Amino acid sequence: MGEQAMTGTAYFDPLETQAPQQREERLLAALPRQVAHARERTAAYAQLLRDVEPGEVTSRTALSRLPVVRKHELMVAQQARRATDPFGGFAAIGWRAGGALGPARRVFQSPGGVYEPEGQASDYWRTARAIFAAGFRAGDLVHNSFSYHLTPAGAIMESGAHAVGCTVFPAGVGNTELQLQALVDLQADGYIGTPSFLRILVEKAESAHIRPGRLAKALVSGEAFPRPLHAWLRERGIEALQCYATADLGLIAYETAAREGLVLDEGVLVEIVRPGTGEPVPDGEVGEVVVTTFNPDYPLVRFGTGDLSALLPGTCPTGRTNARIKGWMGRADDAVKVRGMFVHPLHVADVLRRHPGLARARLLVSGEMANDQLTLEVEREDTGGDTELAARLADSMRDVTRLRADIRLCAVGALPADGKVIEDRRRLD
Amino acid sequence: MGEQAMTGTAYFDPLETQAPQQREERLLAALPRQVAHARERTAAYAQLLRDVEPGEVTSRTALSRLPVVRKHELMVAQQARRATDPFGGFAAIGWRAGGALGPARRVFQSPGGVYEPEGQASDYWRTARAIFAAGFRAGDLVHNSFSYHLTPAGAIMESGAHAVGCTVFPAGVGNTELQLQALVDLQADGYIGTPSFLRILVEKAESAHIRPGRLAKALVSGEAFPRPLHAWLRERGIEALQCYATADLGLIAYETAAREGLVLDEGVLVEIVRPGTGEPVPDGEVGEVVVTTFNPDYPLVRFGTGDLSALLPGTCPTGRTNARIKGWMGRADDAVKVRGMFVHPLHVADVLRRHPGLARARLLVSGEMANDQLTLEVEREDTGGDTELAARLADSMRDVTRLRADIRLCAVGALPADGKVIEDRRRLD
């Protein structure tokens, strides 16, 4: 498979090899329609985008002026509207009288009590493309070790496998002995699940001196996939690739046989923004992955994943022409607790917004527990009014976070471009 | 709902109220086609029915001459053919090159290591009829607490709920706290799962002083559903009905609002046979439920469920015209271990077959463990040659089971008509 893909003969569809300019035009042409759809069919976007003229959202610059919706805002909206709409006004499907576009196929509950809808469309989460890129083909038997219960992980992958034309063994999580028996009895062609559980299955098979069926390929997701584990699996005849998907958005990016970053899915428009803001970062800089989907049922526009990544220059050696991102580089939206108060990257962005002309800021949390020190490091162009600027920034910090912070001003470019807005250096032991 | 159904205005389809004679003609007309299909499309029936002329199987009498396939035979066939066909030659679907009719959608593993295929048809297991009879309607949200992992229970019910037009929350088993939270947050209209887990959910809600959403109806299955539990749930505003379905056959029979036995599904031909044999018992007598399905993908002809039940006279007060069976009355195929050897109802049938003219037999196992006593009780018409008959029967018992048994001869009708072929009266403590 790897070789086939490398020589360009195996793509899921012609979209993967279209000219980048053509792809961009197609995405930007679809954008005003999707913005209009979200505004007309969901209560949340009717409110969020009430001042937006959809017909004018025809460029990435125009898109970057729309608000970013972050997971915690979705959760707050869901909780506020729970009695009437468990999706918080963001979905165009539902049940009973809910959902402008008709009935959802399933509803899922993710950790933290957030709910996601699944529509009636085949390959609703668009994972078929990633499954195909990992070498799966029609007629294969897929051993799916993601959970089908409560969360959508199992369904996200199963619907894609069905779209590829595979038969699925819904193994779910746990029951390692029975899963191993199924691998031996059914001779599955490939595995889909977390990389750590695949390792457990293979180790268990080795210790029992049995071969886990004819497993030769795998699509892994849901957690980090360390390079040494990839090599360990390859030594055992299993070529594993990863993909990046979420319960809200479906597939965002996927690995190919080239294993150089993750190629973006064809059904999303991805931006990398400065965490806590809606501003795109320069190409190559680390930032938060913000995704606009073209899913009519759950039309998330500028949804902030909270995940950090960065665009990778160049194109994929397999011939896929879409942009690539590096793998998962951490969480952007991790709030920290300082002297009993939560401080969020949004707070830092808020402080910065009150002082035009500043480039970037980073909040350092240091000291021992119960004796926390806050230092706001800020890049500024002009060193002229430093003393006054520092005093005003300290005031803004107090207004926004109710916490006292030292201010350290530095030159533009002095702060690391790693996407981190809050760095917690406290000793926890 | 109950009232609606009682007044005859709410049926899943017109099949439920057709004249019984019309149904019987339709089933018998489909029978030769299905026998021919099974013989042509599956390796197992090509062998089992090699001497059968499908065109002649146009009556229940003709059907009763075909072999009954029992679960343990299916398991043996699956194990024998595992490397090439995990379904043991009984399925017309598969994956890779397997399956005359094309790819299976899923494959499942049931306890004991038996595998079941799922085809591409919507409502593959035909449970929509039972779900509808339990009061579920399009637009409802179903809380499905059957497992989706390994076994098909979750999928059996979910596919039926989708066919009714419901949205499904795939809760699965366990995670009681999260399931309760989902019931409160999503306000599911009804529950599908085991009755015992529904009780756990309701009790947990009561002890936390919360109402489990708006649950007002339930379809329960997978275990016995005692009358007191039905009453307990009704007191709490939940009307629960049960159905009888298996992983191999799908829906066999379902309860209606009348709660008088279980009405047979429209997609199966059901016989009640003397356990261990293929002979239908007289109407009303207890025997093993043997089912012929019209599922083209997994065309089980005369599949012995191992479950005991009996036909119920009369018709359902809801206006459904199909025959009814009593609920689950035990297992017919429970082998017992006597002095280290397994004795199966098949053995008893085999002994009886060697002595033409005998009516029924029953094997009593008594005594303390390690000092087992076997008594074969046999009904016979003619008391003339009792001594000689008893000696011959004891010889046959030794030939077939390798065990010594006392023989007790009795009048025809003296043995209880409860379907039991082996009765184990040993003290186990």
Side-chain angles (χ1 to χ4, degrees), chain A residues 45 102 114 152 159 170 177 187 222-223 229 240 243 250 258 264-265 278 312-313 317 328 371 374-375:
Chain A
Y45 282 110
V114 62
S159 52
E177 297 283 354
Q187 298 283 310
E223 64 188 21
L229 181 50
C243 73
L264 296 182
D265 176 50
L312 196 65
W328 186 77
N371 184 26
L374 281 186
T375 308

PDB file of all heavy atoms in Angstrom, chain A residues 45 102 114 152 159 170 177 187 222-223 229 240 243 250 258 264-265 278 312-313 317 328 371 374-375:
ATOM      1  N   TYR A  45     -25.697  30.383  15.978  1.00  0.00           N
ATOM      2  CA  TYR A  45     -25.027  31.220  14.977  1.00  0.00           C
ATOM      3  C   TYR A  45     -25.919  32.382  14.530  1.00  0.00           C
ATOM      4  O   TYR A  45     -25.418  33.411  14.087  1.00  0.00           O
ATOM      5  CB  TYR A  45     -24.541  30.380  13.795  1.00  0.00           C
ATOM      6  CG  TYR A  45     -23.268  29.638  14.119  1.00  0.00           C
ATOM      7  CD1 TYR A  45     -23.244  28.264  14.274  1.00  0.00           C
ATOM      8  CD2 TYR A  45     -22.067  30.331  14.314  1.00  0.00           C
ATOM      9  CE1 TYR A  45     -22.078  27.585  14.597  1.00  0.00           C
ATOM     10  CE2 TYR A  45     -20.897  29.659  14.639  1.00  0.00           C
ATOM     11  CZ  TYR A  45     -20.910  28.284  14.777  1.00  0.00           C
ATOM     12  OH  TYR A  45     -19.752  27.629  15.105  1.00  0.00           O
ATOM     13  N   GLY A 102     -34.186  18.076  10.615  1.00  0.00           N
ATOM     14  CA  GLY A 102     -34.743  16.752  10.834  1.00  0.00           C
ATOM     15  C   GLY A 102     -33.990  15.960  11.873  1.00  0.00           C
ATOM     16  O   GLY A 102     -33.186  16.508  12.636  1.00  0.00           O
ATOM     17  N   VAL A 114     -20.529  16.956  27.468  1.00  0.00           N
ATOM     18  CA  VAL A 114     -20.870  17.671  26.239  1.00  0.00           C
ATOM     19  C   VAL A 114     -21.480  16.656  25.265  1.00  0.00           C
ATOM     20  O   VAL A 114     -21.080  15.490  25.245  1.00  0.00           O
ATOM     21  CB  VAL A 114     -19.628  18.409  25.665  1.00  0.00           C
ATOM     22  CG1 VAL A 114     -18.530  17.443  25.307  1.00  0.00           C
ATOM     23  CG2 VAL A 114     -19.996  19.271  24.474  1.00  0.00           C
ATOM     24  N   PRO A 152     -18.543   9.059  20.702  1.00  0.00           N
ATOM     25  CA  PRO A 152     -18.697   8.634  19.303  1.00  0.00           C
ATOM     26  C   PRO A 152     -17.475   7.963  18.693  1.00  0.00           C
ATOM     27  O   PRO A 152     -17.510   7.609  17.516  1.00  0.00           O
ATOM     28  CB  PRO A 152     -19.001   9.951  18.578  1.00  0.00           C
ATOM     29  CG  PRO A 152     -18.321  10.995  19.385  1.00  0.00           C
ATOM     30  CD  PRO A 152     -18.363  10.520  20.826  1.00  0.00           C
ATOM     31  N   SER A 159     -18.216   4.287  10.690  1.00  0.00           N
ATOM     32  CA  SER A 159     -18.922   4.865   9.542  1.00  0.00           C
ATOM     33  C   SER A 159     -17.951   5.086   8.378  1.00  0.00           C
ATOM     34  O   SER A 159     -18.322   4.890   7.218  1.00  0.00           O
ATOM     35  CB  SER A 159     -19.619   6.158   9.943  1.00  0.00           C
ATOM     36  OG  SER A 159     -18.708   7.041  10.579  1.00  0.00           O
ATOM     37  N   PRO A 170     -16.929  -4.912  15.732  1.00  0.00           N
ATOM     38  CA  PRO A 170     -16.984  -3.871  16.764  1.00  0.00           C
ATOM     39  C   PRO A 170     -16.467  -4.406  18.097  1.00  0.00           C
ATOM     40  O   PRO A 170     -17.230  -4.880  18.930  1.00  0.00           O
ATOM     41  CB  PRO A 170     -18.470  -3.501  16.826  1.00  0.00           C
ATOM     42  CG  PRO A 170     -19.209  -4.626  16.195  1.00  0.00           C
ATOM     43  CD  PRO A 170     -18.233  -5.546  15.521  1.00  0.00           C
ATOM     44  N   GLU A 177      -8.721 -10.555  26.149  1.00  0.00           N
ATOM     45  CA  GLU A 177      -8.658 -11.980  25.770  1.00  0.00           C
ATOM     46  C   GLU A 177      -9.623 -12.300  24.629  1.00  0.00           C
ATOM     47  O   GLU A 177      -9.259 -12.975  23.666  1.00  0.00           O
ATOM     48  CB  GLU A 177      -9.022 -12.869  26.975  1.00  0.00           C
ATOM     49  CG  GLU A 177      -8.082 -12.782  28.158  1.00  0.00           C
ATOM     50  CD  GLU A 177      -6.779 -13.558  27.926  1.00  0.00           C
ATOM     51  OE1 GLU A 177      -6.676 -14.243  26.895  1.00  0.00           O
ATOM     52  OE2 GLU A 177      -5.883 -13.458  28.790  1.00  0.00           O
ATOM     53  N   GLN A 187      -9.220 -13.311  11.606  1.00  0.00           N
ATOM     54  CA  GLN A 187      -8.113 -12.890  10.739  1.00  0.00           C
ATOM     55  C   GLN A 187      -8.346 -11.499  10.153  1.00  0.00           C
ATOM     56  O   GLN A 187      -8.262 -11.297   8.928  1.00  0.00           O
ATOM     57  CB  GLN A 187      -7.917 -13.911   9.607  1.00  0.00           C
ATOM     58  CG  GLN A 187      -7.547 -15.303  10.102  1.00  0.00           C
ATOM     59  CD  GLN A 187      -6.088 -15.399  10.529  1.00  0.00           C
ATOM     60  OE1 GLN A 187      -5.202 -15.003   9.799  1.00  0.00           O
ATOM     61  NE2 GLN A 187      -5.845 -15.885  11.732  1.00  0.00           N
ATOM     62  N   GLY A 222      -6.679   9.242  18.903  1.00  0.00           N
ATOM     63  CA  GLY A 222      -7.183   9.389  20.269  1.00  0.00           C
ATOM     64  C   GLY A 222      -6.132   9.700  21.312  1.00  0.00           C
ATOM     65  O   GLY A 222      -6.455  10.000  22.458  1.00  0.00           O
ATOM     66  N   GLU A 223      -4.877   9.616  20.947  1.00  0.00           N
ATOM     67  CA  GLU A 223      -3.787   9.901  21.887  1.00  0.00           C
ATOM     68  C   GLU A 223      -2.508  10.066  21.075  1.00  0.00           C
ATOM     69  O   GLU A 223      -2.493   9.799  19.869  1.00  0.00           O
ATOM     70  CB  GLU A 223      -3.640   8.772  22.910  1.00  0.00           C
ATOM     71  CG  GLU A 223      -3.249   7.455  22.275  1.00  0.00           C
ATOM     72  CD  GLU A 223      -3.288   6.272  23.252  1.00  0.00           C
ATOM     73  OE1 GLU A 223      -3.971   6.349  24.277  1.00  0.00           O
ATOM     74  OE2 GLU A 223      -2.626   5.271  22.948  1.00  0.00           O
ATOM     75  N   LEU A 229       6.952   3.741  19.096  1.00  0.00           N
ATOM     76  CA  LEU A 229       5.882   2.740  19.023  1.00  0.00           C
ATOM     77  C   LEU A 229       5.588   2.389  17.560  1.00  0.00           C
ATOM     78  O   LEU A 229       5.332   1.223  17.223  1.00  0.00           O
ATOM     79  CB  LEU A 229       4.625   3.249  19.742  1.00  0.00           C
ATOM     80  CG  LEU A 229       3.422   2.300  19.760  1.00  0.00           C
ATOM     81  CD1 LEU A 229       3.812   0.903  20.232  1.00  0.00           C
ATOM     82  CD2 LEU A 229       2.312   2.864  20.639  1.00  0.00           C
ATOM     83  N   ALA A 240       1.369   1.258  10.955  1.00  0.00           N
ATOM     84  CA  ALA A 240       0.304   2.046  11.597  1.00  0.00           C
ATOM     85  C   ALA A 240       0.449   3.520  11.243  1.00  0.00           C
ATOM     86  O   ALA A 240       1.532   4.089  11.352  1.00  0.00           O
ATOM     87  CB  ALA A 240       0.364   1.861  13.111  1.00  0.00           C
ATOM     88  N   CYS A 243      -4.461   9.558  12.609  1.00  0.00           N
ATOM     89  CA  CYS A 243      -5.249  10.670  12.110  1.00  0.00           C
ATOM     90  C   CYS A 243      -5.704  11.523  13.278  1.00  0.00           C
ATOM     91  O   CYS A 243      -5.627  11.112  14.438  1.00  0.00           O
ATOM     92  CB  CYS A 243      -6.439  10.204  11.273  1.00  0.00           C
ATOM     93  SG  CYS A 243      -7.771   9.459  12.208  1.00  0.00           S
ATOM     94  N   GLY A 250     -15.287  15.817  13.310  1.00  0.00           N
ATOM     95  CA  GLY A 250     -14.913  14.707  12.449  1.00  0.00           C
ATOM     96  C   GLY A 250     -13.445  14.816  12.074  1.00  0.00           C
ATOM     97  O   GLY A 250     -12.645  15.430  12.797  1.00  0.00           O
ATOM     98  N   ALA A 258       3.744   8.607   3.532  1.00  0.00           N
ATOM     99  CA  ALA A 258       4.980   9.397   3.607  1.00  0.00           C
ATOM    100  C   ALA A 258       5.365   9.709   5.056  1.00  0.00           C
ATOM    101  O   ALA A 258       6.547   9.939   5.350  1.00  0.00           O
ATOM    102  CB  ALA A 258       4.805  10.704   2.832  1.00  0.00           C
ATOM    103  N   LEU A 264      -4.357  17.818   5.533  1.00  0.00           N
ATOM    104  CA  LEU A 264      -5.687  18.276   5.926  1.00  0.00           C
ATOM    105  C   LEU A 264      -6.775  17.519   5.162  1.00  0.00           C
ATOM    106  O   LEU A 264      -6.606  17.187   3.978  1.00  0.00           O
ATOM    107  CB  LEU A 264      -5.837  19.776   5.661  1.00  0.00           C
ATOM    108  CG  LEU A 264      -4.931  20.707   6.471  1.00  0.00           C
ATOM    109  CD1 LEU A 264      -5.243  22.169   6.126  1.00  0.00           C
ATOM    110  CD2 LEU A 264      -5.097  20.473   7.978  1.00  0.00           C
ATOM    111  N   ASP A 265      -7.905  17.294   5.835  1.00  0.00           N
ATOM    112  CA  ASP A 265      -9.071  16.694   5.179  1.00  0.00           C
ATOM    113  C   ASP A 265      -9.636  17.675   4.152  1.00  0.00           C
ATOM    114  O   ASP A 265      -9.466  18.892   4.272  1.00  0.00           O
ATOM    115  CB  ASP A 265     -10.126  16.358   6.232  1.00  0.00           C
ATOM    116  CG  ASP A 265     -11.391  15.833   5.600  1.00  0.00           C
ATOM    117  OD1 ASP A 265     -11.275  14.902   4.765  1.00  0.00           O
ATOM    118  OD2 ASP A 265     -12.490  16.351   5.895  1.00  0.00           O
ATOM    119  N   GLY A 278      -8.734  35.257  17.760  1.00  0.00           N
ATOM    120  CA  GLY A 278      -9.173  34.758  16.465  1.00  0.00           C
ATOM    121  C   GLY A 278      -8.192  35.079  15.362  1.00  0.00           C
ATOM    122  O   GLY A 278      -8.474  34.850  14.191  1.00  0.00           O
ATOM    123  N   LEU A 312       2.972  22.901   8.082  1.00  0.00           N
ATOM    124  CA  LEU A 312       4.265  22.352   7.675  1.00  0.00           C
ATOM    125  C   LEU A 312       4.506  22.835   6.244  1.00  0.00           C
ATOM    126  O   LEU A 312       3.627  22.716   5.405  1.00  0.00           O
ATOM    127  CB  LEU A 312       4.135  20.825   7.714  1.00  0.00           C
ATOM    128  CG  LEU A 312       5.366  19.948   7.711  1.00  0.00           C
ATOM    129  CD1 LEU A 312       6.181  20.144   8.984  1.00  0.00           C
ATOM    130  CD2 LEU A 312       4.916  18.477   7.612  1.00  0.00           C
ATOM    131  N   PRO A 313       5.680  23.383   5.918  1.00  0.00           N
ATOM    132  CA  PRO A 313       5.888  23.843   4.543  1.00  0.00           C
ATOM    133  C   PRO A 313       6.009  22.673   3.564  1.00  0.00           C
ATOM    134  O   PRO A 313       6.239  21.539   3.968  1.00  0.00           O
ATOM    135  CB  PRO A 313       7.199  24.631   4.622  1.00  0.00           C
ATOM    136  CG  PRO A 313       7.842  24.262   5.898  1.00  0.00           C
ATOM    137  CD  PRO A 313       6.823  23.610   6.789  1.00  0.00           C
ATOM    138  N   PRO A 317       4.797  13.935  -0.126  1.00  0.00           N
ATOM    139  CA  PRO A 317       5.429  13.137  -1.192  1.00  0.00           C
ATOM    140  C   PRO A 317       4.494  12.136  -1.855  1.00  0.00           C
ATOM    141  O   PRO A 317       4.801  11.632  -2.940  1.00  0.00           O
ATOM    142  CB  PRO A 317       6.563  12.392  -0.465  1.00  0.00           C
ATOM    143  CG  PRO A 317       6.821  13.187   0.773  1.00  0.00           C
ATOM    144  CD  PRO A 317       5.504  13.797   1.151  1.00  0.00           C
ATOM    145  N   TRP A 328       0.027  16.798  16.915  1.00  0.00           N
ATOM    146  CA  TRP A 328      -0.501  17.476  18.095  1.00  0.00           C
ATOM    147  C   TRP A 328       0.668  18.021  18.901  1.00  0.00           C
ATOM    148  O   TRP A 328       1.627  17.312  19.193  1.00  0.00           O
ATOM    149  CB  TRP A 328      -1.315  16.475  18.917  1.00  0.00           C
ATOM    150  CG  TRP A 328      -2.022  17.055  20.082  1.00  0.00           C
ATOM    151  CD1 TRP A 328      -3.169  17.792  20.055  1.00  0.00           C
ATOM    152  CD2 TRP A 328      -1.652  16.917  21.458  1.00  0.00           C
ATOM    153  NE1 TRP A 328      -3.531  18.131  21.338  1.00  0.00           N
ATOM    154  CE2 TRP A 328      -2.625  17.613  22.214  1.00  0.00           C
ATOM    155  CE3 TRP A 328      -0.605  16.291  22.139  1.00  0.00           C
ATOM    156  CZ2 TRP A 328      -2.585  17.691  23.601  1.00  0.00           C
ATOM    157  CZ3 TRP A 328      -0.553  16.363  23.517  1.00  0.00           C
ATOM    158  CH2 TRP A 328      -1.537  17.056  24.242  1.00  0.00           C
ATOM    159  N   ASN A 371       2.239  30.141  47.044  1.00  0.00           N
ATOM    160  CA  ASN A 371       3.038  31.366  46.992  1.00  0.00           C
ATOM    161  C   ASN A 371       3.342  31.671  45.524  1.00  0.00           C
ATOM    162  O   ASN A 371       4.480  31.809  45.117  1.00  0.00           O
ATOM    163  CB  ASN A 371       4.329  31.184  47.815  1.00  0.00           C
ATOM    164  CG  ASN A 371       5.139  32.471  47.859  1.00  0.00           C
ATOM    165  OD1 ASN A 371       4.589  33.556  47.730  1.00  0.00           O
ATOM    166  ND2 ASN A 371       6.445  32.330  48.012  1.00  0.00           N
ATOM    167  N   LEU A 374       3.129  35.705  39.468  1.00  0.00           N
ATOM    168  CA  LEU A 374       2.694  35.870  38.080  1.00  0.00           C
ATOM    169  C   LEU A 374       3.600  36.889  37.394  1.00  0.00           C
ATOM    170  O   LEU A 374       3.847  37.964  37.939  1.00  0.00           O
ATOM    171  CB  LEU A 374       1.264  36.397  38.020  1.00  0.00           C
ATOM    172  CG  LEU A 374       0.137  35.401  38.240  1.00  0.00           C
ATOM    173  CD1 LEU A 374      -1.203  36.089  37.986  1.00  0.00           C
ATOM    174  CD2 LEU A 374       0.295  34.216  37.309  1.00  0.00           C
ATOM    175  N   THR A 375       4.081  36.533  36.221  1.00  0.00           N
ATOM    176  CA  THR A 375       4.856  37.484  35.426  1.00  0.00           C
ATOM    177  C   THR A 375       4.275  37.514  34.019  1.00  0.00           C
ATOM    178  O   THR A 375       4.223  36.477  33.348  1.00  0.00           O
ATOM    179  CB  THR A 375       6.337  37.065  35.357  1.00  0.00           C
ATOM    180  OG1 THR A 375       6.814  36.849  36.684  1.00  0.00           O
ATOM    181  CG2 THR A 375       7.158  38.152  34.675  1.00  0.00           C
TER     182      THR A 375
END
